[in-house]
Amino acid sequence: MKFTNKRNVPLLKAGYILLLTSMLAFFTYHFFVVNTTVLNNYQLTILLICYLVFFVYWYINAKYIEYDSKGLGVVFVTKGIVLNDISNYREQRIEIPKNKLTNYKLVNRVLYKKVYLYIKGSSGIKKVGINISFLKTHKVKALRASLDKIVRENSSK
């Protein structure tokens, strides 16, 4: 099985643009229309913290995800959205032979989804986590079905 969230990439980029435009619109409105000092220090601090929290959440979780389980291995590739064309510094590539995958766990919180893969190695079992927060529900179900099939085949051997 092979899938990606390539269709969502323009929407993920739009999140950054929405954050920037809303921040600029707010400050422009208060400076030109209301014609007052924008906010007092306490309110400005709260607003900037909210923008910063949203930006950090979006930066950490908004990723391009590619999954491929055709062939002899399982391949996960995650890439950042911003500046990906210039420098691919956020790429995470995980290639696992199917026979080494012992189990997996899918963590699904309100704003956060992550899959943990348990890989059999020479020094024991290694746990690897991959953020899949911006993967659509039907693709998460397909991922679960594919990993279930691989784990079932490995446990029967």
Side-chain angles (χ1 to χ4, degrees), residues 45-64:
T45 304
I46 298 269
L47 181 68
L48 289 177
I49 287 173
C50 290
Y51 276 119
L52 183 66
V53 165
F54 180 75
F55 179 78
V56 168
Y57 169 78
W58 204 261
Y59 182 78
I60 290 172
N61 294 319
K63 293 183 179 181
Y64 167 78

Side-chain angles (χ1 to χ4, degrees), residues 10-109:
L11 296 174
L12 299 175
K13 287 181 180 179
Y16 289 107
I17 295 168
L18 180 67
L19 176 65
L20 181 64
T21 55
S22 67
M23 196 170 169
L24 286 174
F26 178 80
F27 286 113
T28 304
Y29 173 77
H30 275 286
F31 185 72
F32 289 116
V33 177
V34 178
N35 206 11
T36 62
T37 58
V38 177
L39 296 170
N40 63 25
N41 288 339
Y42 176 73
Q43 292 171 332
L44 183 64
T45 304
I46 298 269
L47 181 68
L48 289 177
I49 287 173
C50 290
Y51 276 119
L52 183 66
V53 165
F54 180 75
F55 179 78
V56 168
Y57 169 78
W58 204 261
Y59 182 78
I60 290 172
N61 294 319
K63 293 183 179 181
Y64 167 78
I65 301 167
E66 190 175 309
Y67 172 74
D68 185 12
S69 66
K70 293 181 180 177
L72 297 175
V74 177
V75 179
F76 278 95
V77 178
T78 61
K79 299 178 184 176
I81 300 296
V82 176
L83 302 174
N84 190 30
D85 301 331
I86 299 168
S87 173
N88 203 5
Y89 64 97
R90 291 180 60 198
E91 180 175 341
Q92 179 184 15
R93 177 180 285 285
I94 299 171
E95 298 179 21
I96 308 161
K98 284 185 180 179
N99 60 355
K100 297 209 179 219
L101 184 66
T102 59
N103 201 0
Y104 77 96
K105 181 179 179 185
L106 192 69
V107 176
N108 190 2
R109 304 282 187 247

Side-chain angles (χ1 to χ4, degrees), residues 57 60-61 63 65 76 78 92 94 103-118 127-135 140 143-144 147:
Y57 169 78
I60 290 172
N61 294 319
K63 293 183 179 181
I65 301 167
F76 278 95
T78 61
Q92 179 184 15
I94 299 171
N103 201 0
Y104 77 96
K105 181 179 179 185
L106 192 69
V107 176
N108 190 2
R109 304 282 187 247
V110 176
L111 296 173
Y112 183 76
K113 285 185 244 178
K114 197 165 190 174
V115 63
Y116 291 102
L117 303 174
Y118 296 94
K127 180 179 173 182
V128 177
I130 300 141
N131 188 341
I132 56 170
S133 295
F134 284 89
L135 212 56
V140 172
L143 175 67
R144 179 178 283 157
L147 291 175

